[in-house]
Amino acid sequence: LPAQISASLETLGIKDQNPGSSTGQNWLNTSAGFFSSLSPVDGNKIAAVQATDKATYEAVIQKAEEAFLTWRKVPAPQRGEFVRKLGNELRVVKADLGRLVSYEMGKSYQEGLGEVQEMIDICDFAVGLSRQLYGLTMHSERPGHRMYEQWHPLGIVGIISAFNFPVAVWSWNAMIAWVCGDVCIWKPSEKAPLSALACQHIVAKVLRESELPEGISCLINGDYKVGEMMTQDFRIPLISATGSTRMGKIVGQAVAARLGRSLLELGGNNAIIITENADLDIAIRGALFGAVGTAGQRCTTTRRLIVQESVYDTVKERLKSAYAKLVIGDPLDEKNHVGPLIDQDAVKAYLSAVEKVKAQGGKELVPAGVLTGPGYESGCYVKPCIIEAENHFEMVQHETFAPILYLNKYRTLDEAIAMHNGVPQGLSSAIMTLNMREAEAFLSAAGSDCGIANVNIGTSGAEIGGAFGGEKETGGGRESGSDSWKAYMRRQTNTINYSTALPLAQGIRFEI
Ligand code: NAD
């Protein structure tokens, strides 16, 4: 392994053949064997992690249930204090964790650092939130009565996360769930288990130092079968799952079958509308980062550009020349713009999407291809491509998790909005315009149908302060900021009678 990576692994407590736990205690030792984490950067095996078997899973549930009995009684601001300490610990390891995320997932080092910064930010948000879990008070219709609502912890929150944000998405869930008084069991992506293990080590240290039960933060490892143990388990009232729409449909149904709650954060098919009134410098930069950043592996990646016909050719030419300047290679080397895809299956999916869209009539403006030779030994590096394609083409309707940008032309804004909304997904969206009427129309009830709608900003790179998530096949869940915390608590309505009578609601009379 590269020397810097080995040093970061050591700091983060990752070795080869990692037990699936942070604590090193027996309750997480399993008989399910080990699986390896491979880096898409150079194809190296980074380390192996123990998978979770059924018996271990039962032990984890027991630890989590026990911990909940204590944790739910800790006052919320004190729970916030634990999260504050976690944020401080993350500040200390930011560079090492960012580097591991970059090496294990393949995103640039800057983005790896950004992901850890996002974790720190959500810690700060959660600390403040721990004093603001507000309920409403209502005026009772009965004399001498008072009504109000309280928000109580739910119990165990099961977090299933995707490979592309291997640590930030967990923190959006866990930090909020913890101040809400819940305990968490995390099943990270089997493609990025080490970044998760590193986080679990950090949390376990803070729990130990704070003399809090270790079951407040639990980690289980393995593929979808390990995730299924949680989705089918009635002891887990909330499953928060991030990943593909295909996964969300299965998970959503499994949780609904036991009348549990699910919070789904699924695929996007995000578009930017570029109008004739756009600042084209901003539009091109926004589209470029949105389409090729993280090698097109963000749920908010810009996948479609919908461009007004009068500026279409200019946008096309400027994008082509910007793409020609992209440097593809090792994401840890800061001179490179685009890193690898997560694995060779993702490369196959990219090539197959390009072939399919071309077979339907798509025209390659910036050609696709796989890079070979020195520096590309992992076989995971692909060329970001641009394809002129119609919105209704099968592949344009589908999220391919790779840097493929589809270009569409429009005449009127109504036509552009219809095209924009004319896909099954509804995560992030943007309009580039300096015209107030166009911007407001896009943000209106008759405009974008997405959970996120931006003006003069691309589709990717959300801040933690807002609620994050999307509509339609994106799953409808909201995480992170605003009042997303409500999903992690149960609401209780309380009516208190301090009078000497017992009047019934709605004036109903019942006399004996
Ligand atoms: P994926 O669906 O293959 O896997 C995601 C997670 O779900 C993994 O941990 C996996 O093991 C687990 N899983 C899969 N099937 C399961 C099942 N039947 N039961 C329980 N768990 C199961 O997704 P991926 O390839 O890791 O990530 C890419 C996808 O995630 C893209 O579609 C992307 O748009 C989406 N994503 C969405 C958001 C969002 O907030 N909306 C954020 C990040 C990624």
Side-chain angles (χ1 to χ4, degrees), residues 1 37-46 102-106 332 340-342 378 380:
L1 295 179
S37 173
L38 306 177
S39 170
V41 173
D42 52 17
N44 281 336
K45 175 189 155 187
I46 314 174
S102 170
Y103 190 60
E104 187 175 39
M105 184 274 156
L332 285 152
L341 293 182
I342 183 69
S378 70
C380 296

Side-chain angles (χ1 to χ4, degrees), residues 189-373:
S189 167
E190 57 274 39
K191 294 174 188 172
L194 300 175
S195 301
L197 198 59
C199 292
Q200 175 71 353
H201 286 185
I202 296 162
V203 185
K205 175 171 176 270
V206 178
L207 285 171
R208 264 196 314 272
E209 288 169 357
S210 311
E211 297 181 3
L212 288 167
E214 59 180 339
I216 288 172
S217 176
C218 303
L219 182 70
I220 56 175
N221 274 303
D223 63 10
Y224 72 97
K225 293 191 211 83
V226 178
E228 275 176 356
M229 293 185 206
M230 290 208 293
T231 58
Q232 292 166 3
D233 192 336
F234 67 93
R235 293 167 293 185
I236 305 188
L238 172 66
I239 296 286
S240 173
T242 302
S244 59
T245 293
R246 194 193 68 81
M247 173 280 286
K249 285 183 177 169
I250 299 170
V251 165
Q253 287 182 39
V255 178
R258 59 176 175 87
L259 299 183
R261 282 194 210 170
S262 52
L263 195 169
L264 300 175
E265 295 281 352
L266 312 174
N269 191 349
N270 320 293
I272 300 179
I273 296 177
I274 302 181
T275 84
E276 65 274 36
N277 299 305
D279 173 335
L280 287 186
D281 289 340
I282 286 187
I284 300 295
R285 278 176 54 202
L288 185 67
F289 178 72
V292 309
T294 331
Q297 300 170 105
R298 286 188 180 216
C299 50
T300 52
T301 289
T302 306
R303 311 213 174 271
R304 299 176 295 137
L305 280 189
I306 302 169
V307 187
Q308 214 281 334
E309 58 182 8
S310 64
V311 288
Y312 186 83
D313 288 338
T314 315
V315 168
K316 188 161 105 175
E317 290 314 313
R318 288 187 63 173
L319 274 174
K320 271 166 78 173
S321 64
Y323 268 58
K325 292 187 201 127
L326 291 174
V327 189
I328 304 162
D330 181 347
L332 285 152
D333 180 341
E334 298 209 36
K335 78 173 187 322
N336 294 324
H337 302 111
V338 182
L341 293 182
I342 183 69
D343 55 22
Q344 293 186 9
D345 284 347
V347 174
K348 282 187 208 135
Y350 154 89
L351 290 172
S352 143
V354 171
E355 282 319 306
K356 280 188 187 155
V357 81
K358 285 200 312 200
Q360 269 206 291
K363 190 172 144 219
E364 243 174 339
L365 287 179
V366 174
V370 181
L371 293 154
T372 52

